[in-house]
Amino acid sequence: MKIIDGKAIAAELRADLKKKIEQSEEKPGLAVIIVGEDPASQIYVRNKIKACGDLGIRSYAYALPETTSQEELETLLDKLGKDRDVDGILLQLPLPKHLDSEAASKHIPFEKDVDGFSAENLGLLMQHKEEVVACTPLGVMKMLEREGIDPTGKRAVVIGRSETVGKPMAMLLLNANATVTVCHSKTPDLASVCASADILVSAVGKAKFVTADMVKEGAVVIDVGMNRDENGKLCGDVDFENVKDKTSYITPVPGGVGPMTITMLMYNTYIRFKSK
Ligand code: NAP
């Protein structure tokens, strides 16, 4: 059994990226927009801005008040869309309830979508012509690659079908030649489906959801979940202590998929910068 060190892989990828950015005369730019006071979002935004600084990416932070109107938000997105210094636009979600995130996201031009959530980027992923892919599933693929785990011919099971994690994750594994099953809350006999997986990816959002009986001997287990346990401690979806010895590779939480996500945001910003 090997515990995949997401922190170390992310650090290596960041060092590569930093070197490339240092060698470039112009620097990439990322605009990060947050609306309101959601504490978790504020931490995510702070970490993203810090990561930009560490890598030499120019960051433009917009902290808009809770009372921001849809029109004001969309006007800002339109302005950033035309700004040549801005290569990527990240609209931190969730937005306050009175705002329509889907309508707002349509004001982020495809060329500056660094989240990979736009219909165009999702379509390209479907066609296996990926340009910018959602950061978390892309981070998982980079981890597999770094560990020399080739999904070709493997049976992969993804638990979760969100637009941001589960669906793009399944499509990436399919594009990498795995045979993929996607499970969700209506899947019958989930445990036995999971137990058939050579690669099991959990993106559910429930602590200790994946138990040892759901894991095949020697499987690769990737835990995307970010939850709090009964003591308020950060944990994943997988019952790590009881599952780990059955696996060939497993990601911990924290220190697994999490550190890869922001790294992939930096990577996507660089990709957009290079292609302008
Ligand atoms: P989400 O939108 O809430 O989706 C959760 C998925 O899990 C849904 O598809 C849901 O099925 C499925 N599900 C819920 N209960 C289930 C059950 N009992 N059996 C089988 N499937 C079930 O969540 P998300 O945004 O994809 O995120 C998932 C987890 O990943 C969360 O813990 C989140 O915090 C974490 N996350 C981590 C990172 C990172 O950087 N590490 C990034 C993003 C998300 P239905 O579709 O049928 O409702």
Side-chain angles (χ1 to χ4, degrees):
M1 183 271 297
K2 180 178 178 191
I3 298 175
I4 302 180
D5 186 345
K7 242 172 139 173
I9 298 173
E12 269 174 44
L13 294 172
R14 284 188 201 203
D16 282 354
L17 210 47
K18 188 174 177 178
K19 212 176 290 164
K20 284 191 186 132
I21 293 168
E22 272 168 3
Q23 285 162 358
S24 158
E25 204 172 301
E26 261 194 82
K27 305 296 172 199
L30 176 67
V32 182
I33 301 145
I34 178 170
V35 188
E37 310 285 331
D38 180 58
S41 295
Q42 285 180 331
I43 295 171
Y44 294 143
V45 165
R46 218 177 301 137
N47 290 342
K48 286 168 188 173
I49 303 282
K50 183 178 177 306
C52 284
D54 293 345
L55 267 62
I57 294 176
R58 285 175 286 107
S59 62
Y60 305 91
Y62 294 85
L64 306 183
E66 185 87 27
T67 50
T68 302
S69 69
Q70 187 77 23
E71 198 188 339
E72 285 167 329
L73 176 61
E74 291 176 0
T75 303
L76 173 63
L77 293 172
D78 290 339
K79 187 180 103 178
L80 294 170
K82 292 190 197 107
D83 188 336
R84 249 197 79 78
D85 290 339
V86 172
D87 299 293
I89 302 174
L90 184 127
L91 178 59
Q92 186 65 45
L93 300 177
L95 293 176
K97 284 198 173 58
H98 68 281
L99 295 175
D100 178 345
S101 59
E102 216 177 301
S105 298
K106 293 211 171 99
H107 288 255
I108 300 173
F110 158 66
E111 306 78 38
K112 298 193 180 187
D113 165 31
V114 280
D115 262 331
F117 296 165
S118 65
E120 289 94 329
N121 272 320
L122 289 170
L124 288 169
L125 174 60
M126 285 281 282
Q127 294 174 336
H128 196 3
K129 292 178 186 158
E130 296 89 332
E131 286 191 14
V132 162
V133 178
C135 299
T136 300
L138 180 63
V140 171
M141 295 308 286
K142 295 274 179 200
M143 281 178 126
L144 295 177
E145 196 183 300
R146 284 276 158 149
E147 294 296 336
I149 301 163
D150 180 1
T152 299
K154 304 262 168 39
R155 190 170 284 278
V157 172
V158 178
I159 326 174
R161 58 173 164 178
S162 67
E163 305 285 326
T164 50
V165 187
K167 279 187 197 170
M169 185 74 255
M171 199 50 64
L172 282 168
L173 287 163
L174 181 63
N175 289 350
N177 299 317
T179 301
V180 183
T181 304
V182 184
C183 300
H184 46 79
S185 66
K186 309 286 185 292
T187 301
D189 208 4
L190 182 80
S192 71
V193 179
C194 293
S196 72
D198 302 310
I199 300 174
L200 178 62
V201 182
S202 183
V204 175
K206 289 186 176 151
K208 298 208 170 125
F209 183 81
V210 176
T211 47
D213 60 308
M214 294 165 73
V215 175
K216 179 170 145 177
E217 202 70 50
V220 174
V221 174
I222 307 289
D223 192 350
V224 178
M226 281 204 328
N227 314 300
R228 296 276 160 195
D229 69 11
E230 56 280 8
N231 304 313
K233 230 178 98 200
L234 182 65
C235 67
D237 288 346
V238 177
D239 181 3
F240 187 84
E241 282 311 315
N242 293 312
V243 166
K244 66 180 192 324
D245 292 329
K246 273 187 105 172
T247 66
S248 53
Y249 292 85
I250 186 166
T251 63
V253 179
V257 177
M260 297 297 290
T261 297
I262 292 187
T263 304
M264 291 302 106
L265 174 66
M266 301 297 115
Y267 174 81
N268 283 347
T269 303
Y270 181 74
I271 297 275
R272 278 316 185 204
F273 163 70
K274 287 306 278 181
S275 66
K276 83 174 163 190

mmCIF file of all heavy atoms in Angstrom, residues 14 30-34 40-61 89-94 114-115 117 135-136 258 261-266 269:
data_model
loop_
_atom_site.group_PDB
_atom_site.id
_atom_site.type_symbol
_atom_site.label_atom_id
_atom_site.label_comp_id
_atom_site.label_asym_id
_atom_site.label_seq_id
_atom_site.Cartn_x
_atom_site.Cartn_y
_atom_site.Cartn_z
ATOM 1 N N ARG A 14 4.056 22.720 -9.126
ATOM 2 C CA ARG A 14 4.162 24.182 -8.965
ATOM 3 C C ARG A 14 5.566 24.671 -9.288
ATOM 4 O O ARG A 14 5.744 25.729 -9.878
ATOM 5 C CB ARG A 14 3.788 24.591 -7.539
ATOM 6 C CG ARG A 14 2.295 24.549 -7.304
ATOM 7 C CD ARG A 14 1.951 25.145 -5.955
ATOM 8 N NE ARG A 14 0.641 24.675 -5.529
ATOM 9 C CZ ARG A 14 -0.124 25.297 -4.657
ATOM 10 N NH1 ARG A 14 0.274 26.412 -4.112
ATOM 11 N NH2 ARG A 14 -1.296 24.797 -4.327
ATOM 12 N N LEU A 30 -4.553 36.398 -13.324
ATOM 13 C CA LEU A 30 -5.812 35.742 -12.930
ATOM 14 C C LEU A 30 -6.655 36.714 -12.110
ATOM 15 O O LEU A 30 -6.166 37.287 -11.127
ATOM 16 C CB LEU A 30 -5.501 34.492 -12.079
ATOM 17 C CG LEU A 30 -6.714 33.753 -11.502
ATOM 18 C CD1 LEU A 30 -7.541 33.104 -12.613
ATOM 19 C CD2 LEU A 30 -6.280 32.685 -10.489
ATOM 20 N N ALA A 31 -7.901 36.896 -12.530
ATOM 21 C CA ALA A 31 -8.841 37.708 -11.741
ATOM 22 C C ALA A 31 -9.692 36.779 -10.891
ATOM 23 O O ALA A 31 -10.230 35.788 -11.392
ATOM 24 C CB ALA A 31 -9.728 38.530 -12.671
ATOM 25 N N VAL A 32 -9.778 37.078 -9.605
ATOM 26 C CA VAL A 32 -10.568 36.254 -8.683
ATOM 27 C C VAL A 32 -11.649 37.146 -8.070
ATOM 28 O O VAL A 32 -11.340 38.187 -7.489
ATOM 29 C CB VAL A 32 -9.686 35.656 -7.565
ATOM 30 C CG1 VAL A 32 -10.516 34.771 -6.651
ATOM 31 C CG2 VAL A 32 -8.527 34.860 -8.149
ATOM 32 N N ILE A 33 -12.891 36.708 -8.238
ATOM 33 C CA ILE A 33 -14.012 37.533 -7.757
ATOM 34 C C ILE A 33 -14.772 36.787 -6.671
ATOM 35 O O ILE A 33 -15.170 35.637 -6.860
ATOM 36 C CB ILE A 33 -14.977 37.843 -8.921
ATOM 37 C CG1 ILE A 33 -14.206 38.571 -10.020
ATOM 38 C CG2 ILE A 33 -16.153 38.705 -8.463
ATOM 39 C CD1 ILE A 33 -14.670 38.219 -11.373
ATOM 40 N N ILE A 34 -14.958 37.468 -5.573
ATOM 41 C CA ILE A 34 -15.767 36.890 -4.501
ATOM 42 C C ILE A 34 -16.870 37.896 -4.166
ATOM 43 O O ILE A 34 -16.624 39.096 -4.120
ATOM 44 C CB ILE A 34 -14.898 36.536 -3.267
ATOM 45 C CG1 ILE A 34 -15.755 35.969 -2.133
ATOM 46 C CG2 ILE A 34 -14.095 37.711 -2.766
ATOM 47 C CD1 ILE A 34 -14.963 35.382 -0.978
ATOM 48 N N ALA A 40 -15.775 30.144 4.234
ATOM 49 C CA ALA A 40 -15.016 29.115 3.502
ATOM 50 C C ALA A 40 -14.516 29.693 2.183
ATOM 51 O O ALA A 40 -13.347 29.505 1.807
ATOM 52 C CB ALA A 40 -15.886 27.890 3.257
ATOM 53 N N SER A 41 -15.382 30.432 1.487
ATOM 54 C CA SER A 41 -14.984 31.024 0.200
ATOM 55 C C SER A 41 -13.848 32.010 0.391
ATOM 56 O O SER A 41 -12.946 32.101 -0.446
ATOM 57 C CB SER A 41 -16.168 31.749 -0.441
ATOM 58 O OG SER A 41 -17.172 30.824 -0.771
ATOM 59 N N GLN A 42 -13.894 32.742 1.492
ATOM 60 C CA GLN A 42 -12.822 33.719 1.736
ATOM 61 C C GLN A 42 -11.469 33.016 1.900
ATOM 62 O O GLN A 42 -10.454 33.485 1.389
ATOM 63 C CB GLN A 42 -13.138 34.560 2.976
ATOM 64 C CG GLN A 42 -14.222 35.592 2.672
ATOM 65 C CD GLN A 42 -14.587 36.458 3.865
ATOM 66 O OE1 GLN A 42 -14.479 36.020 5.000
ATOM 67 N NE2 GLN A 42 -15.035 37.667 3.595
ATOM 68 N N ILE A 43 -11.485 31.862 2.572
ATOM 69 C CA ILE A 43 -10.227 31.106 2.731
ATOM 70 C C ILE A 43 -9.744 30.603 1.363
ATOM 71 O O ILE A 43 -8.574 30.745 1.009
ATOM 72 C CB ILE A 43 -10.410 29.919 3.710
ATOM 73 C CG1 ILE A 43 -10.718 30.459 5.109
ATOM 74 C CG2 ILE A 43 -9.169 29.036 3.743
ATOM 75 C CD1 ILE A 43 -11.130 29.392 6.120
ATOM 76 N N TYR A 44 -10.687 30.040 0.572
ATOM 77 C CA TYR A 44 -10.295 29.526 -0.751
ATOM 78 C C TYR A 44 -9.679 30.642 -1.592
ATOM 79 O O TYR A 44 -8.653 30.452 -2.242
ATOM 80 C CB TYR A 44 -11.509 28.948 -1.511
ATOM 81 C CG TYR A 44 -12.108 27.714 -0.889
ATOM 82 C CD1 TYR A 44 -13.488 27.508 -0.906
ATOM 83 C CD2 TYR A 44 -11.317 26.737 -0.301
ATOM 84 C CE1 TYR A 44 -14.055 26.371 -0.331
ATOM 85 C CE2 TYR A 44 -11.872 25.604 0.264
ATOM 86 C CZ TYR A 44 -13.239 25.431 0.250
ATOM 87 O OH TYR A 44 -13.797 24.317 0.810
ATOM 88 N N VAL A 45 -10.323 31.822 -1.563
ATOM 89 C CA VAL A 45 -9.846 32.937 -2.384
ATOM 90 C C VAL A 45 -8.463 33.378 -1.908
ATOM 91 O O VAL A 45 -7.553 33.588 -2.716
ATOM 92 C CB VAL A 45 -10.868 34.109 -2.356
ATOM 93 C CG1 VAL A 45 -10.251 35.393 -2.870
ATOM 94 C CG2 VAL A 45 -12.090 33.731 -3.197
ATOM 95 N N ARG A 46 -8.297 33.469 -0.610
ATOM 96 C CA ARG A 46 -6.988 33.870 -0.059
ATOM 97 C C ARG A 46 -5.908 32.883 -0.519
ATOM 98 O O ARG A 46 -4.826 33.269 -0.933
ATOM 99 C CB ARG A 46 -7.078 33.880 1.471
ATOM 100 C CG ARG A 46 -6.285 35.034 2.079
ATOM 101 C CD ARG A 46 -6.421 35.084 3.592
ATOM 102 N NE ARG A 46 -7.781 35.230 4.053
ATOM 103 C CZ ARG A 46 -8.330 34.548 5.084
ATOM 104 N NH1 ARG A 46 -7.631 33.644 5.739
ATOM 105 N NH2 ARG A 46 -9.577 34.763 5.457
ATOM 106 N N ASN A 47 -6.220 31.590 -0.469
ATOM 107 C CA ASN A 47 -5.234 30.588 -0.887
ATOM 108 C C ASN A 47 -4.909 30.697 -2.381
ATOM 109 O O ASN A 47 -3.769 30.483 -2.788
ATOM 110 C CB ASN A 47 -5.757 29.172 -0.584
ATOM 111 C CG ASN A 47 -5.788 28.911 0.915
ATOM 112 O OD1 ASN A 47 -5.133 29.608 1.691
ATOM 113 N ND2 ASN A 47 -6.567 27.920 1.336
ATOM 114 N N LYS A 48 -5.908 31.025 -3.167
ATOM 115 C CA LYS A 48 -5.684 31.145 -4.617
ATOM 116 C C LYS A 48 -4.787 32.348 -4.913
ATOM 117 O O LYS A 48 -3.856 32.255 -5.719
ATOM 118 C CB LYS A 48 -7.030 31.278 -5.346
ATOM 119 C CG LYS A 48 -7.781 29.951 -5.384
ATOM 120 C CD LYS A 48 -9.222 30.075 -5.824
ATOM 121 C CE LYS A 48 -9.921 28.721 -5.643
ATOM 122 N NZ LYS A 48 -11.356 28.757 -5.891
ATOM 123 N N ILE A 49 -5.071 33.453 -4.221
ATOM 124 C CA ILE A 49 -4.263 34.667 -4.426
ATOM 125 C C ILE A 49 -2.814 34.400 -3.991
ATOM 126 O O ILE A 49 -1.857 34.796 -4.650
ATOM 127 C CB ILE A 49 -4.832 35.855 -3.588
ATOM 128 C CG1 ILE A 49 -6.297 36.121 -3.954
ATOM 129 C CG2 ILE A 49 -3.967 37.112 -3.706
ATOM 130 C CD1 ILE A 49 -6.548 36.853 -5.213
ATOM 131 N N LYS A 50 -2.670 33.683 -2.891
ATOM 132 C CA LYS A 50 -1.327 33.386 -2.382
ATOM 133 C C LYS A 50 -0.572 32.495 -3.384
ATOM 134 O O LYS A 50 0.594 32.726 -3.684
ATOM 135 C CB LYS A 50 -1.428 32.694 -1.018
ATOM 136 C CG LYS A 50 -0.065 32.451 -0.428
ATOM 137 C CD LYS A 50 -0.084 31.814 0.932
ATOM 138 C CE LYS A 50 1.325 31.540 1.433
ATOM 139 N NZ LYS A 50 2.171 30.760 0.538
ATOM 140 N N ALA A 51 -1.276 31.489 -3.904
ATOM 141 C CA ALA A 51 -0.644 30.586 -4.885
ATOM 142 C C ALA A 51 -0.189 31.376 -6.103
ATOM 143 O O ALA A 51 0.904 31.136 -6.631
ATOM 144 C CB ALA A 51 -1.615 29.477 -5.280
ATOM 145 N N CYS A 52 -0.990 32.335 -6.546
ATOM 146 C CA CYS A 52 -0.590 33.182 -7.683
ATOM 147 C C CYS A 52 0.718 33.885 -7.346
ATOM 148 O O CYS A 52 1.671 33.857 -8.139
ATOM 149 C CB CYS A 52 -1.652 34.255 -7.964
ATOM 150 S SG CYS A 52 -3.124 33.642 -8.787
ATOM 151 N N GLY A 53 0.774 34.505 -6.174
ATOM 152 C CA GLY A 53 1.971 35.246 -5.754
ATOM 153 C C GLY A 53 3.191 34.341 -5.740
ATOM 154 O O GLY A 53 4.262 34.709 -6.231
ATOM 155 N N ASP A 54 3.034 33.132 -5.210
ATOM 156 C CA ASP A 54 4.165 32.192 -5.110
ATOM 157 C C ASP A 54 4.721 31.817 -6.486
ATOM 158 O O ASP A 54 5.898 31.516 -6.626
ATOM 159 C CB ASP A 54 3.733 30.898 -4.398
ATOM 160 C CG ASP A 54 3.404 31.139 -2.933
ATOM 161 O OD1 ASP A 54 3.772 32.221 -2.414
ATOM 162 O OD2 ASP A 54 2.768 30.257 -2.312
ATOM 163 N N LEU A 55 3.827 31.783 -7.482
ATOM 164 C CA LEU A 55 4.247 31.305 -8.808
ATOM 165 C C LEU A 55 4.596 32.421 -9.789
ATOM 166 O O LEU A 55 4.992 32.146 -10.918
ATOM 167 C CB LEU A 55 3.127 30.440 -9.415
ATOM 168 C CG LEU A 55 3.263 28.952 -9.150
ATOM 169 C CD1 LEU A 55 3.206 28.625 -7.688
ATOM 170 C CD2 LEU A 55 2.181 28.193 -9.891
ATOM 171 N N GLY A 56 4.380 33.666 -9.377
ATOM 172 C CA GLY A 56 4.654 34.787 -10.279
ATOM 173 C C GLY A 56 3.505 35.085 -11.224
ATOM 174 O O GLY A 56 3.699 35.693 -12.284
ATOM 175 N N ILE A 57 2.299 34.652 -10.848
ATOM 176 C CA ILE A 57 1.099 34.993 -11.633
ATOM 177 C C ILE A 57 0.522 36.272 -11.031
ATOM 178 O O ILE A 57 0.398 36.382 -9.807
ATOM 179 C CB ILE A 57 0.056 33.844 -11.562
ATOM 180 C CG1 ILE A 57 0.616 32.602 -12.270
ATOM 181 C CG2 ILE A 57 -1.283 34.267 -12.152
ATOM 182 C CD1 ILE A 57 -0.288 31.372 -12.190
ATOM 183 N N ARG A 58 0.214 37.255 -11.908
ATOM 184 C CA ARG A 58 -0.409 38.480 -11.384
ATOM 185 C C ARG A 58 -1.844 38.154 -10.983
ATOM 186 O O ARG A 58 -2.557 37.480 -11.721
ATOM 187 C CB ARG A 58 -0.431 39.573 -12.467
ATOM 188 C CG ARG A 58 0.926 40.221 -12.705
ATOM 189 C CD ARG A 58 0.898 41.202 -13.857
ATOM 190 N NE ARG A 58 0.836 40.507 -15.135
ATOM 191 C CZ ARG A 58 -0.234 40.442 -15.916
ATOM 192 N NH1 ARG A 58 -1.348 41.051 -15.588
ATOM 193 N NH2 ARG A 58 -0.206 39.764 -17.047
ATOM 194 N N SER A 59 -2.254 38.605 -9.807
ATOM 195 C CA SER A 59 -3.647 38.340 -9.419
ATOM 196 C C SER A 59 -4.386 39.653 -9.232
ATOM 197 O O SER A 59 -3.804 40.654 -8.810
ATOM 198 C CB SER A 59 -3.708 37.504 -8.144
ATOM 199 O OG SER A 59 -3.108 38.203 -7.088
ATOM 200 N N TYR A 60 -5.653 39.622 -9.601
ATOM 201 C CA TYR A 60 -6.528 40.783 -9.454
ATOM 202 C C TYR A 60 -7.706 40.322 -8.615
ATOM 203 O O TYR A 60 -8.508 39.511 -9.086
ATOM 204 C CB TYR A 60 -7.025 41.261 -10.820
ATOM 205 C CG TYR A 60 -5.893 41.542 -11.794
ATOM 206 C CD1 TYR A 60 -5.423 40.545 -12.649
ATOM 207 C CD2 TYR A 60 -5.276 42.789 -11.827
ATOM 208 C CE1 TYR A 60 -4.372 40.785 -13.528
ATOM 209 C CE2 TYR A 60 -4.224 43.045 -12.700
ATOM 210 C CZ TYR A 60 -3.778 42.038 -13.548
ATOM 211 O OH TYR A 60 -2.737 42.273 -14.402
ATOM 212 N N ALA A 61 -7.742 40.800 -7.381
ATOM 213 C CA ALA A 61 -8.795 40.316 -6.472
ATOM 214 C C ALA A 61 -9.926 41.334 -6.402
ATOM 215 O O ALA A 61 -9.678 42.534 -6.251
ATOM 216 C CB ALA A 61 -8.193 40.103 -5.094
ATOM 217 N N ILE A 89 -10.452 34.113 -15.479
ATOM 218 C CA ILE A 89 -11.409 34.737 -14.550
ATOM 219 C C ILE A 89 -12.004 33.635 -13.694
ATOM 220 O O ILE A 89 -12.557 32.659 -14.224
ATOM 221 C CB ILE A 89 -12.541 35.464 -15.304
ATOM 222 C CG1 ILE A 89 -11.967 36.533 -16.236
ATOM 223 C CG2 ILE A 89 -13.535 36.081 -14.323
ATOM 224 C CD1 ILE A 89 -13.006 37.195 -17.130
ATOM 225 N N LEU A 90 -11.873 33.800 -12.383
ATOM 226 C CA LEU A 90 -12.459 32.807 -11.483
ATOM 227 C C LEU A 90 -13.536 33.475 -10.627
ATOM 228 O O LEU A 90 -13.236 34.409 -9.886
ATOM 229 C CB LEU A 90 -11.376 32.216 -10.593
ATOM 230 C CG LEU A 90 -11.976 31.112 -9.731
ATOM 231 C CD1 LEU A 90 -11.189 29.854 -9.876
ATOM 232 C CD2 LEU A 90 -12.077 31.523 -8.293
ATOM 233 N N LEU A 91 -14.747 33.007 -10.801
ATOM 234 C CA LEU A 91 -15.855 33.512 -9.987
ATOM 235 C C LEU A 91 -16.066 32.508 -8.862
ATOM 236 O O LEU A 91 -16.478 31.359 -9.105
ATOM 237 C CB LEU A 91 -17.108 33.635 -10.862
ATOM 238 C CG LEU A 91 -18.379 34.109 -10.157
ATOM 239 C CD1 LEU A 91 -18.201 35.483 -9.527
ATOM 240 C CD2 LEU A 91 -19.550 34.141 -11.154
ATOM 241 N N GLN A 92 -15.740 32.920 -7.632
ATOM 242 C CA GLN A 92 -15.839 31.986 -6.503
ATOM 243 C C GLN A 92 -17.306 31.660 -6.207
ATOM 244 O O GLN A 92 -18.117 32.565 -6.017
ATOM 245 C CB GLN A 92 -15.162 32.612 -5.260
ATOM 246 C CG GLN A 92 -15.085 31.684 -4.076
ATOM 247 C CD GLN A 92 -14.179 30.467 -4.322
ATOM 248 O OE1 GLN A 92 -13.084 30.592 -4.849
ATOM 249 N NE2 GLN A 92 -14.655 29.297 -3.964
ATOM 250 N N LEU A 93 -17.618 30.389 -6.144
ATOM 251 C CA LEU A 93 -18.983 29.938 -5.845
ATOM 252 C C LEU A 93 -18.997 29.341 -4.440
ATOM 253 O O LEU A 93 -17.960 28.884 -3.967
ATOM 254 C CB LEU A 93 -19.423 28.894 -6.872
ATOM 255 C CG LEU A 93 -19.433 29.386 -8.325
ATOM 256 C CD1 LEU A 93 -19.801 28.244 -9.262
ATOM 257 C CD2 LEU A 93 -20.378 30.558 -8.533
ATOM 258 N N PRO A 94 -20.100 29.311 -3.734
ATOM 259 C CA PRO A 94 -21.409 29.771 -4.187
ATOM 260 C C PRO A 94 -21.542 31.291 -4.078
ATOM 261 O O PRO A 94 -20.870 31.925 -3.255
ATOM 262 C CB PRO A 94 -22.352 29.090 -3.194
ATOM 263 C CG PRO A 94 -21.543 28.942 -1.936
ATOM 264 C CD PRO A 94 -20.133 28.718 -2.374
ATOM 265 N N VAL A 114 -11.087 29.372 -16.569
ATOM 266 C CA VAL A 114 -10.009 28.550 -16.012
ATOM 267 C C VAL A 114 -10.539 27.463 -15.079
ATOM 268 O O VAL A 114 -9.772 26.668 -14.533
ATOM 269 C CB VAL A 114 -8.954 29.409 -15.271
ATOM 270 C CG1 VAL A 114 -8.001 30.045 -16.260
ATOM 271 C CG2 VAL A 114 -9.607 30.465 -14.389
ATOM 272 N N ASP A 115 -11.854 27.429 -14.903
ATOM 273 C CA ASP A 115 -12.497 26.399 -14.084
ATOM 274 C C ASP A 115 -12.910 25.199 -14.929
ATOM 275 O O ASP A 115 -13.173 24.123 -14.403
ATOM 276 C CB ASP A 115 -13.774 26.972 -13.454
ATOM 277 C CG ASP A 115 -13.539 27.437 -12.032
ATOM 278 O OD1 ASP A 115 -12.651 26.866 -11.369
ATOM 279 O OD2 ASP A 115 -14.250 28.349 -11.591
ATOM 280 N N PHE A 117 -15.693 24.950 -16.449
ATOM 281 C CA PHE A 117 -17.118 24.679 -16.221
ATOM 282 C C PHE A 117 -18.000 25.117 -17.394
ATOM 283 O O PHE A 117 -19.193 24.842 -17.414
ATOM 284 C CB PHE A 117 -17.632 25.427 -14.979
ATOM 285 C CG PHE A 117 -17.005 24.992 -13.674
ATOM 286 C CD1 PHE A 117 -17.147 25.770 -12.533
ATOM 287 C CD2 PHE A 117 -16.286 23.805 -13.574
ATOM 288 C CE1 PHE A 117 -16.579 25.379 -11.321
ATOM 289 C CE2 PHE A 117 -15.711 23.410 -12.366
ATOM 290 C CZ PHE A 117 -15.861 24.206 -11.242
ATOM 291 N N CYS A 135 -10.598 21.727 -12.315
ATOM 292 C CA CYS A 135 -9.325 21.596 -11.579
ATOM 293 C C CYS A 135 -9.223 20.313 -10.747
ATOM 294 O O CYS A 135 -8.178 19.660 -10.740
ATOM 295 C CB CYS A 135 -9.138 22.806 -10.673
ATOM 296 S SG CYS A 135 -9.068 24.349 -11.593
ATOM 297 N N THR A 136 -10.274 19.949 -10.037
ATOM 298 C CA THR A 136 -10.158 18.798 -9.128
ATOM 299 C C THR A 136 -9.985 17.481 -9.902
ATOM 300 O O THR A 136 -9.029 16.740 -9.638
ATOM 301 C CB THR A 136 -11.361 18.758 -8.167
ATOM 302 O OG1 THR A 136 -11.351 19.980 -7.423
ATOM 303 C CG2 THR A 136 -11.288 17.589 -7.208
ATOM 304 N N GLY A 258 -6.781 17.612 -2.351
ATOM 305 C CA GLY A 258 -6.935 19.044 -2.044
ATOM 306 C C GLY A 258 -5.818 19.927 -2.590
ATOM 307 O O GLY A 258 -6.094 20.869 -3.345
ATOM 308 N N THR A 261 -5.852 20.787 -6.369
ATOM 309 C CA THR A 261 -6.905 21.582 -7.007
ATOM 310 C C THR A 261 -6.419 23.001 -7.344
ATOM 311 O O THR A 261 -6.546 23.451 -8.482
ATOM 312 C CB THR A 261 -8.166 21.596 -6.124
ATOM 313 O OG1 THR A 261 -8.630 20.256 -6.029
ATOM 314 C CG2 THR A 261 -9.273 22.440 -6.718
ATOM 315 N N ILE A 262 -5.834 23.681 -6.354
ATOM 316 C CA ILE A 262 -5.372 25.057 -6.629
ATOM 317 C C ILE A 262 -4.204 25.031 -7.625
ATOM 318 O O ILE A 262 -4.092 25.891 -8.486
ATOM 319 C CB ILE A 262 -4.977 25.786 -5.318
ATOM 320 C CG1 ILE A 262 -6.242 26.030 -4.480
ATOM 321 C CG2 ILE A 262 -4.272 27.101 -5.621
ATOM 322 C CD1 ILE A 262 -6.032 26.874 -3.245
ATOM 323 N N THR A 263 -3.385 23.995 -7.522
ATOM 324 C CA THR A 263 -2.267 23.873 -8.469
ATOM 325 C C THR A 263 -2.793 23.791 -9.907
ATOM 326 O O THR A 263 -2.240 24.399 -10.822
ATOM 327 C CB THR A 263 -1.428 22.618 -8.128
ATOM 328 O OG1 THR A 263 -1.018 22.739 -6.774
ATOM 329 C CG2 THR A 263 -0.212 22.478 -9.013
ATOM 330 N N MET A 264 -3.896 23.060 -10.079
ATOM 331 C CA MET A 264 -4.467 22.926 -11.421
ATOM 332 C C MET A 264 -5.101 24.235 -11.892
ATOM 333 O O MET A 264 -5.138 24.519 -13.086
ATOM 334 C CB MET A 264 -5.498 21.790 -11.445
ATOM 335 C CG MET A 264 -4.880 20.423 -11.293
ATOM 336 S SD MET A 264 -3.653 20.059 -12.600
ATOM 337 C CE MET A 264 -2.138 20.224 -11.712
ATOM 338 N N LEU A 265 -5.580 25.047 -10.948
ATOM 339 C CA LEU A 265 -6.091 26.369 -11.319
ATOM 340 C C LEU A 265 -4.942 27.221 -11.880
ATOM 341 O O LEU A 265 -5.110 27.926 -12.883
ATOM 342 C CB LEU A 265 -6.734 27.045 -10.096
ATOM 343 C CG LEU A 265 -7.183 28.481 -10.304
ATOM 344 C CD1 LEU A 265 -8.335 28.542 -11.312
ATOM 345 C CD2 LEU A 265 -7.606 29.111 -8.982
ATOM 346 N N MET A 266 -3.787 27.126 -11.234
ATOM 347 C CA MET A 266 -2.611 27.867 -11.708
ATOM 348 C C MET A 266 -2.193 27.343 -13.094
ATOM 349 O O MET A 266 -1.865 28.106 -13.988
ATOM 350 C CB MET A 266 -1.439 27.697 -10.718
ATOM 351 C CG MET A 266 -1.718 28.168 -9.305
ATOM 352 S SD MET A 266 -2.066 29.929 -9.196
ATOM 353 C CE MET A 266 -3.765 29.929 -8.663
ATOM 354 N N THR A 269 -4.570 28.561 -15.724
ATOM 355 C CA THR A 269 -4.320 29.980 -16.017
ATOM 356 C C THR A 269 -3.125 30.098 -16.966
ATOM 357 O O THR A 269 -3.147 30.873 -17.927
ATOM 358 C CB THR A 269 -4.037 30.760 -14.705
ATOM 359 O OG1 THR A 269 -5.147 30.581 -13.828
ATOM 360 C CG2 THR A 269 -3.821 32.242 -14.967
#
